[in-house]
């Protein structure tokens, strides 16, 4: 019987039915509610009940010297029309997830940021409207 279980598990893996136990469905992240960001692919997702509910969407992240941090962070606050004082730039639809000002917000998809996660207008609005304060943002390499 143990051999049959092993064969069935191998078959499931070979046809794509099994996913890593830690991954939220359709993303490289382990969170159940919130947002997932993968730096190596410049993609982000919204995650609801452990599955990707939106995305992947293209993003730009921190330039050298201003890298977007890796880890799991809570959504801290949201500001619809914010302005970056240090960089003298608009930050529409900001969803902050670090205490030092890193946020998802509308921005250039071709120019790297100073650590924030730039999204298209549509994606920034969707992230802003759907991420709740206290939900998790997981950033993976």
């Amino acid at each position: 019987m143990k051999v049959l279980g092993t064969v069935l598990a191998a078959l499931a893996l070979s046809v794509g039915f099994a996913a890593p136990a830690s991954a939220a469905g359709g993303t490289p992240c382990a969170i159940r509610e919130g947002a997932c960001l993968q730096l190596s692919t410049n993609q982000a997702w919204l995650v609801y009940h452990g599955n990707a509910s939106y995305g992947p969407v293209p993003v730009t992240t921190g330039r050298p010297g201003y890298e977007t941090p890796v880890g799991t962070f809570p959504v801290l606050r949201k500001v619809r029309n914010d302005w970056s004082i240090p960089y003298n730039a608009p930050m529409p639809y900001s969803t902050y997830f670090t205490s030092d000002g890193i946020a998802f917000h509308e921005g250039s998809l071709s120019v790297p940021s100073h650590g924030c996660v730039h999204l298209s207008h549509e994606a920034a609005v969707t992230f802003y409207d759907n991420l709740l304060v206290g939900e998790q943002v997981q950033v993976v390499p």
Side-chain angles (χ1 to χ4, degrees), residues 23-120:
T27 78
C29 295
I31 61 166
R32 303 262 322 135
E33 308 289 334
C36 173
L37 170 64
Q38 186 173 41
L39 298 172
S40 64
T41 62
N42 291 320
Q43 293 180 315
W45 299 258
L46 289 175
V47 178
Y48 181 69
H49 293 314
N51 291 301
S53 62
Y54 179 74
V57 295
V59 301
T60 52
T61 58
R63 64 187 72 195
Y66 297 92
E67 289 82 5
T68 304
V70 172
T72 302
F73 311 90
V75 172
L76 299 173
R77 64 189 175 98
K78 298 171 18 172
V79 182
R80 188 179 180 298
N81 287 307
D82 213 356
W83 187 267
S84 171
I85 294 171
Y87 304 109
N88 194 29
M91 294 175 59
Y93 303 100
S94 291
T95 302
Y96 289 90
F97 59 91
T98 74
S99 58
D100 56 347
I102 304 296
F104 288 104
H105 65 82
E106 182 180 338
S108 172
L109 292 178
S110 60
V111 178
S113 73
H114 289 93
C116 284
V117 182
H118 289 168
L119 299 161
S120 69

Side-chain angles (χ1 to χ4, degrees), residues 124-139:
V125 170
T126 302
F127 273 56
Y128 183 86
D129 286 346
N130 288 280
L131 282 172
L132 303 175
V133 171
E135 287 185 323
Q136 294 182 313
V137 173
Q138 186 175 8
V139 181

